[in-house]
Amino acid sequence: MRADVAHEAHVLVIGSGGAGVRAALEASRHGETLLVTKSVAGKGGCTPMAEGGYNAALREADSCVGHLEDTLKGGAYLNDLELVKVLVNEAPDRLRDLVRWGAVFDVTETCEVAQRSFGGQRFPRTCYAGDRTGHEMMMTLLEQLRASNVEVLQEVTVTDLLTREGAVVGAAVLDRTGRLEVIRADSTVLATGGGSRVYDVSTNSATGTGDGYSLGYGAGAELIDMEMVQFHPTGAVYPYDARGRLVTEAVRGEGGILRNAKGERFMSRYDPERMELSTRDVVARAIAREILEGRGTPRGGVYLDVTHLPAAQIEGRLPVMLEQFLAYGVDIRKEPMEVAPSAHHFMGGLRITPTGQTTVPGLFACGEVAGGVHGANRLGGNSLAETQVFGKRAGEAAGRAPSRGQRPEPRQLDLIERRLEGFLSGMVNPVMVERKLQLAMWKGAGIFRTGPELTQTLMEVEKLGRKRLHAPSKLNLAECMTVHHLCTTAMLVVKSALLRPESRGAHVRTDLTQAHDAANSPFGHTYLSQHRSGIEMKGGSP
Amino acid sequence: MAVRVFRWNPAREKEGKFRTYHVEVQEGARVLHVLHAIHAEDQTLSYRYCCGTGQCGSCAVQVDGEPKLACMTEARDGMTVEPLNLPVRKDLVVEMEPALAQIAPLLPKGQAECPAPEQIAAIKPLRECIECLACVSVCPAMEVAEFTGPAAMRQEMRLALDPRDAGGRIPEAIKAGLFTCTTCQACWKVCPKKIEIPGKAIEKLRALANREGLTLPRHLEVAELVKETGRTVPRTETSFLEQVDEVIEPAGPVKATVGFFVGCMYNLRLPKTALDAIQVLKRNGVRVIIPHEQVCCGSPLIRTGQLEYLPTLQQKNIECFTSRNIDTVMTMCAGCGSTLKNDYRTPFTVKDVNEILTEVGIEPPARLPLTVTYHDPCHLLRGQGIRDQPRALIRRVADLREMAVVKCCGAGGGTRSGAPEVSKALALKRDEEIIKTGADCVISSCPFCEFHIGTFSKTPVKNVTTLLLEGYRKKDEGKA
């Protein structure tokens, strides 16, 4: 069977999180826009789970320059300066878009959007809606999506980006029944979110499987800094089956204190100045170190305590945390939480220009799937802002791109069909591959890394990537594709990690000693595509 | 643990069936983790999930018959997992898109100013909705009426409260079925975010409708009657209050003293039932004080959004008991009880007659050769959390055969007067369930349910206390 073109659009947006919906809304002003999403629209991705907030310089006393400097410092100066400028300059306007569309942020007495402190920032510039900021944004965006003329295809899985003469001309998707369909588009926007589910312990939703990295890589796009994986310092450790569940940074923003099993406020040893509100990479390593050195709780975490805060503050500012922990039998007004680091965010991703253009014609990227904005470590509150700023930009650029009307190469569709048929006769349960991959990545490409372990992990990941996955019926093809994307993403992370011979931000090589600090690093982005790979040197060309 | 899971592929099978799985999970595992464990063994199981933290609303299923988020509900050995009561796509996956499409978007006026803090505070509780559709899956009105449902109504109210919205939400809500909701409370009892949709959205929208002059004519008539007579129903026969003294002493020693809040329906429509209850209370040592100046509790006004006269009623009713130094007020109308408990700030305790009888402990009645079924009044079950007491009382007299589903009969929320066809359709559905039990008699504990089911069912309807009284009569006959 040859999949015929089932849908055509001027702009195809892949993903229905904050960036995808924002991109689709913008693109639809310029032409027919189709949004495809693996989940029910708005329920996937990490935006609805994002708790803490949205960074924007809104006050007289704050400034975009301050936001820029904090972001660069937090990012260990690996950020793409042009992208950061765009982020900090446009975050306030994109916040105003959300307010105009009805977002219910917390406000001050004078009806301004309220802001709170987040890690690594000199000014309390994180706007919030309790501790369900992302959910609030997502609901606002979804309402606008429902009111727009964007066509939405829900619960479909993209298997491949389709190309013609090196340009992306659409995508091949599996619909909910497992049937292969072709979508033709003049421009395609990847807004598929991150890939932290390559790790055993992760804060990500089920869709954080790195599909976009794998799709972009498959289409020939270049990815940068894929080794830069942020481990959120505070993931829940209990119950075991729900390990990694995000405990928002807002808990520390509101005054939460970290203690080890011996009752020591250990952050004083790692960052006496900023303490719990140090950057995420520092706090995550501190917690990991405490646990590694035997000062963790019996369940393998440390304590995060807000019991000294007034109950009303916890109820008003951290209602989701309160509710979630109560469901697990812990009243955070009376008892400390137990937390440990959890894979959270990919700072790296597809290389983009400030308009979201990737290195492949016809392909744009925005949100977590794109790299460069956050450098080697992301500040809390910057990614929700990123979704809106770059979602709009990518949507606009994709919308303004000319109509090309090219159809995909038939040969590529043949290959896709052959791979899908292979799943139907495959042997290996994809769930088992996924588990092995996650464990291997956690063990060999986690918070602390060494060259030999990374090399070993790469071998394991590649071995798992070659397994012949089994789909008992067409309904399971999507799952096999997801595991395929997961394996590709893991490979990209490990290969990139091997390309960077230094410790920087979230990437820590314990087997290397280095004389330089982040500000004086000779290294720039790592880069990786089907055609080339390497690491940029400062002052030199890539 | 062993788990029963509903399996159905409608593309291939005519109907679904349960399959039992044995899986291992860690301590504290949620239902979702059990589904993951099953899926690892049996890839053919379809279920929907995403965030795993109760924020995306993808994974709602029925766990032991109750809609729950799979990711937040602790797994239990022997549990049954079924899809929500919505069209099933496969196994545990239901169609969500049609219901989600009913949720109205904000129509921006264009300004980027934030609402005031107090406006934000009002909107926020309605904003926590994660669109999991648990509420929609249990809404009885949606089954029989053109009603967009609780999730959509919550959104209408959220929009009505937002100064940035340019939409005309009240006419829209009315068109979408605002007056078909029976305020049965089923929606918010299953809401994982505990959003009080009937009280915080439906009744508030109806109150806004009232301000815009859009209250239904039949509801206006009721409000007029209350203002004129203090009662929601006209006097067509000798009322209960006209037949009783202010203080009724028990036959034996006094075990408890209660003030009796009668309510319009028992006073004027079903006085005989209230008299039956008095007999039972007398026999069981309860002294009953009945202030004759009591008036309507105001429930019909609250449910239909007509709040203007409410404070007058509340004040009269509270005073009639406080002036007699009564510290426990008994209701036997589920609607009055729920209203006094939830919509009043009373200086006294309010208890339902089933609670009173359970607490004092009743003299054993004779058993009647009857099989009965019990219809839970919404305002008793969900409004007051009373489920077991009436059942236990019934079992003292007769065999109880439960209906397969607990659901509203359609009498409440002003629906009987305002949307009679919806109300009737619900009663007929209820009757189907009653018939299925083969019971000789339906027992309930609410005058609205009794009156309404009585209108549409051939099976006789009785109050719990009437059934008890019959047991006592038989006992006395036996002695005589």
Side-chain angles (χ1 to χ4, degrees):
Chain A
M1 54 134 206
R2 166 64 48 77
D4 292 321
V5 173
H7 306 272
E8 293 205 46
H10 176 49
V11 177
L12 166 66
V13 177
I14 305 172
S16 70
V21 176
R22 188 65 185 82
L25 289 174
E26 202 62 31
S28 69
R29 295 154 57 105
H30 302 278
E32 206 181 320
T33 300
L34 172 66
L35 182 144
V36 301
T37 167
K38 203 167 162 178
S39 63
V40 174
K43 293 190 182 299
C46 289
T47 306
M49 326 161 60
E51 293 159 352
Y54 179 116
N55 293 342
L58 301 176
R59 304 280 194 270
E60 285 279 308
D62 195 11
S63 71
C64 290
V65 173
H67 188 182
L68 180 108
E69 288 171 3
D70 287 345
T71 301
L72 292 177
K73 186 174 181 222
Y77 305 102
L78 186 62
N79 324 56
D80 184 320
L81 184 61
E82 290 308 308
L83 296 182
V84 182
K85 279 184 189 163
V86 167
L87 174 78
V88 302
N89 289 333
E90 296 180 11
D93 279 341
R94 295 295 79 74
L95 183 82
R96 282 187 270 275
D97 288 347
L98 291 167
V99 170
R100 196 175 302 117
W101 292 337
V104 187
F105 287 104
D106 282 84
V107 295
T108 64
E109 285 304 312
T110 53
C111 296
E112 289 176 295
V113 175
Q115 294 183 299
R116 65 178 158 213
S117 301
F118 250 40
Q121 299 190 63
R122 68 188 70 177
F123 191 87
R125 71 166 70 89
T126 305
C127 310
Y128 60 94
D131 59 356
R132 42 167 290 276
T133 313
H135 175 253
E136 179 56 44
M137 286 172 55
M138 204 63 242
M139 287 294 132
T140 304
L141 290 164
L142 262 188
E143 287 182 20
Q144 293 310 304
L145 182 69
R146 285 174 188 148
S148 76
N149 53 11
V150 174
E151 193 191 337
V152 182
L153 278 182
Q154 316 205 41
E155 298 185 290
V156 300
T157 301
V158 179
T159 72
D160 296 83
L161 295 175
L162 298 172
T163 54
R164 183 110 201 179
E165 290 149 23
V168 169
V169 296
V173 303
L174 291 164
D175 74 4
R176 55 177 57 140
T177 66
R179 193 178 57 200
L180 186 67
E181 288 187 337
V182 168
I183 299 169
R184 200 208 61 74
D186 299 321
S187 310
T188 299
V189 180
L190 276 180
T192 46
S196 292
R197 290 200 75 90
V198 298
Y199 289 97
D200 180 44
V201 183
S202 158
T203 63
N204 279 200
S205 76
T207 58
T209 46
D211 298 17
Y213 309 114
S214 168
L215 292 169
Y217 181 76
E222 187 164 277
L223 295 98
I224 59 169
D225 302 332
M226 284 297 286
E227 73 283 7
M228 293 300 176
V229 178
Q230 177 168 81
F231 290 84
H232 196 287
T234 57
V237 300
Y238 177 85
Y240 180 80
D241 286 318
R243 64 195 177 282
R245 184 170 56 88
L246 178 64
V247 176
T248 172
E249 182 161 325
V251 173
R252 283 173 289 132
E254 292 295 333
I257 288 170
L258 287 165
R259 288 199 183 84
N260 62 22
K262 294 164 78 179
E264 296 164 337
R265 193 171 172 186
F266 56 85
M267 279 311 296
S268 63
R269 291 202 298 274
Y270 299 90
D271 189 343
E273 211 170 300
R274 295 184 295 182
M275 298 293 282
E276 282 82 3
L277 286 179
S278 182
T279 49
R280 288 180 175 175
D281 53 342
V282 174
V283 183
R285 277 197 294 277
I287 295 173
R289 184 66 66 197
E290 291 297 306
I291 297 166
L292 269 178
E293 293 176 359
R295 294 185 292 277
T297 65
R299 281 172 173 162
V302 296
Y303 295 113
L304 174 58
D305 194 351
V306 289
T307 56
H308 58 289
L309 299 177
Q313 186 181 346
I314 297 169
E315 289 152 13
R317 301 279 186 81
L318 304 168
V320 174
M321 282 298 103
L322 178 62
E323 173 200 312
Q324 281 186 12
F325 274 89
L326 277 176
Y328 295 113
V330 176
D331 184 344
I332 64 171
R333 291 166 296 195
K334 295 174 188 150
E335 308 157 76
M337 295 161 256
E338 267 182 85
V339 296
S342 179
H344 184 55
H345 185 97
F346 278 27
M347 274 72 72
L350 277 84
R351 192 195 283 272
I352 57 165
T353 67
T355 58
Q357 174 68 55
T358 68
T359 57
V360 176
L363 183 64
F364 300 80
C366 55
E368 192 174 344
V369 74
V373 178
H374 308 292
N377 173 57
R378 176 174 69 79
L379 294 186
N382 265 356
S383 65
L384 285 183
E386 176 193 22
T387 63
Q388 298 308 290
V389 169
F390 290 94
K392 176 183 186 285
R393 281 181 157 253
E396 186 174 0
R400 285 185 189 281
S403 302
R404 284 185 278 117
Q406 281 171 306
R407 303 185 83 78
E409 287 166 25
R411 203 166 48 89
Q412 190 187 2
L413 285 172
D414 289 340
L415 288 172
I416 293 168
E417 282 176 6
R418 213 172 302 152
R419 186 178 55 209
L420 294 176
E421 279 157 19
F423 292 143
L424 292 170
S425 60
M427 309 293 284
V428 184
N429 183 343
V431 177
M432 300 310 156
V433 172
E434 180 179 351
R435 279 191 191 164
K436 282 182 184 160
L437 182 84
Q438 290 165 335
L439 288 169
M441 288 295 287
W442 188 251
K443 184 164 159 273
I447 300 178
F448 301 111
R449 299 164 175 179
T450 67
E453 281 174 312
L454 287 169
T455 307
Q456 173 65 29
T457 307
L458 183 60
M459 280 168 59
E460 283 175 49
V461 167
E462 288 182 329
K463 195 172 121 200
L464 288 167
R466 285 191 297 270
K467 295 273 187 209
R468 293 191 55 225
L469 302 177
H470 173 59
S473 84
K474 282 169 77 177
L475 291 171
N476 297 84
L477 291 174
E479 195 183 339
C480 292
M481 276 315 302
T482 298
V483 173
H484 164 82
H485 292 321
L486 207 59
C487 289
T488 305
T489 301
M491 177 275 287
L492 293 169
V493 171
V494 184
K495 276 192 174 168
S496 300
L498 283 164
L499 289 172
R500 181 175 298 284
E502 64 167 345
S503 292
R504 184 105 170 255
H507 175 71
V508 174
R509 285 280 301 264
T510 54
D511 57 338
L512 297 178
T513 49
Q514 71 191 47
H516 65 263
D517 60 11
N520 296 299
S521 168
F523 301 106
H525 301 303
T526 58
Y527 54 89
L528 189 58
S529 74
Q530 288 185 25
H531 318 292
R532 59 171 207 159
S533 65
I535 185 163
E536 295 169 3
M537 299 304 289
K538 285 249 177 83
S541 55
Chain B
M1 64 176 57
V3 189
R4 286 172 76 228
V5 179
F6 183 79
R7 298 299 312 267
W8 188 29
N9 185 352
R12 288 206 195 138
E13 298 142 8
K14 221 170 168 189
E15 56 186 21
K17 56 183 182 305
F18 284 97
R19 205 175 138 187
T20 301
Y21 292 90
H22 298 270
V23 290
E24 277 186 34
V25 286
Q26 307 277 333
E27 188 217 330
R30 306 289 117 172
V31 173
L32 179 62
H33 307 130
V34 171
L35 297 177
H36 287 333
I38 294 171
H39 177 255
E41 305 290 323
D42 179 357
Q43 278 177 268
T44 65
L45 175 69
S46 299
Y47 57 110
R48 195 188 263 130
Y49 71 102
C50 203
C51 78
T53 59
Q55 276 305 101
C56 76
S58 300
C59 68
V61 289
Q62 293 189 67
V63 180
D64 294 328
E66 284 277 303
K68 297 276 185 193
L69 293 181
C71 69
M72 296 304 287
T73 307
E74 188 156 6
R76 197 182 57 75
D77 186 30
M79 68 182 176
T80 297
V81 185
E82 294 167 81
L84 289 183
N85 184 24
L86 291 169
V88 173
R89 197 187 291 158
K90 184 175 175 290
D91 300 335
L92 302 175
V93 179
V94 295
E95 294 293 347
M96 297 186 85
E97 287 171 41
L100 293 175
Q102 300 285 348
I103 296 173
L106 181 132
L107 195 62
K109 280 183 183 160
Q111 84 267 29
E113 283 99 50
C114 288
E118 59 276 11
Q119 289 171 316
I120 296 281
I123 299 170
K124 260 182 146 184
L126 294 168
R127 196 57 175 164
E128 287 173 16
C129 175
I130 53 172
E131 299 180 355
C132 68
L133 304 185
C135 58
V136 168
S137 78
V138 297
C139 175
M142 289 181 77
E143 288 183 27
V144 297
E146 291 290 317
F147 179 39
T148 55
M153 286 294 130
R154 173 213 48 87
Q155 175 72 355
E156 295 291 352
M157 187 63 206
R158 167 263 178 283
L159 293 172
L161 285 169
D162 200 315
R164 295 166 295 186
D165 178 47
R169 300 305 168 184
I170 303 308
E172 183 176 281
I174 292 172
K175 215 173 145 215
L178 175 62
F179 288 106
T180 65
C181 164
T182 64
T183 69
C184 77
Q185 316 279 327
C187 52
W188 87 273
K189 291 290 169 177
V190 301
C191 173
K193 300 289 172 183
K194 289 282 162 274
I195 303 171
E196 244 178 280
I197 297 171
K200 297 273 166 64
I202 300 281
E203 290 168 12
K204 290 284 189 319
L205 283 165
R206 289 176 179 179
L208 292 176
N210 185 245
R211 263 194 252 163
E212 294 187 16
L214 295 170
T215 296
L216 298 179
R218 285 288 291 116
H219 292 166
L220 287 173
E221 284 171 27
V222 172
E224 274 310 305
L225 194 61
V226 173
K227 271 191 217 170
E228 276 170 35
T229 67
R231 291 296 176 188
T232 54
V233 282
R235 181 179 180 281
T236 51
E237 57 180 308
T238 314
S239 72
F240 170 79
L241 287 171
E242 287 170 278
Q243 299 181 52
V244 291
D245 294 334
E246 183 163 318
V247 180
I248 296 169
E249 293 294 341
V254 178
K255 290 201 262 179
T257 300
V258 298
F260 181 20
F261 186 85
V262 185
C264 302
M265 285 293 282
Y266 281 127
N267 187 40
L268 291 157
R269 277 274 181 281
L270 304 166
K272 209 190 136 295
T273 308
L275 290 168
D276 290 349
I278 294 293
Q279 294 300 314
V280 173
L281 291 158
K282 258 176 99 167
R283 187 154 181 151
N284 285 293
V286 182
R287 172 195 279 133
V288 183
I289 301 169
I290 311 168
H292 279 50
E293 71 270 31
Q294 57 181 282
V295 289
C296 170
C297 69
S299 172
L301 304 185
I302 302 171
R303 306 309 146 226
T304 59
Q306 307 180 86
L307 305 178
E308 205 186 326
Y309 195 59
L310 183 67
T312 314
L313 298 176
Q314 287 172 323
Q315 199 188 344
K316 270 193 189 172
N317 285 328
I318 290 174
E319 266 175 25
C320 80
F321 291 108
T322 50
S323 64
R324 289 170 175 82
N325 294 320
I326 291 167
D327 51 18
T328 303
V329 170
M330 182 190 76
T331 52
M332 65 179 284
C333 169
C336 298
S338 176
T339 302
L340 260 55
K341 284 178 178 174
N342 303 316
D343 299 303
Y344 273 56
R345 300 180 96 175
T346 57
F348 43 78
T349 311
V350 180
K351 284 180 182 167
D352 179 73
V353 64
N354 290 284
E355 292 177 285
I356 298 285
L357 289 174
T358 305
E359 282 169 22
V360 298
I362 61 162
E363 175 200 334
R367 284 199 76 79
L368 300 171
L370 284 179
T371 298
V372 302
T373 186
Y374 176 67
H375 169 77
D376 281 290
C378 298
H379 291 271
L380 191 65
L381 176 71
R382 289 180 284 267
Q384 304 178 55
I386 295 176
R387 184 191 179 282
D388 297 333
Q389 297 94 321
R391 287 179 165 77
L393 291 169
I394 291 166
R395 287 201 179 92
R396 303 287 292 271
V397 200
D399 290 334
L400 177 63
R401 197 175 293 158
E402 295 279 3
M403 286 184 259
V405 288
V406 174
K407 201 163 260 189
C408 178
C409 70
T415 321
R416 191 176 151 91
S417 59
E421 68 298 338
V422 173
S423 184
K424 179 182 171 181
L426 287 170
L428 293 175
K429 280 183 87 91
R430 205 62 198 136
D431 190 39
E432 286 172 23
E433 293 299 324
I434 292 166
I435 292 167
K436 275 191 218 162
T437 65
D440 304 309
C441 183
V442 191
I443 308 300
S444 196
S445 196
C446 166
F448 293 94
C449 302
E450 290 163 33
F451 192 78
H452 191 58
I453 296 173
T455 311
F456 295 104
S457 175
K458 288 204 179 79
T459 312
V461 190
K462 283 179 190 160
N463 188 274
V464 175
T465 53
T466 303
L467 184 74
L468 288 173
L469 185 63
E470 287 176 8
Y472 290 133
R473 286 196 180 131
K474 189 181 173 198
K475 188 177 182 181
D476 296 344
E477 278 166 23
K479 277 183 194 159

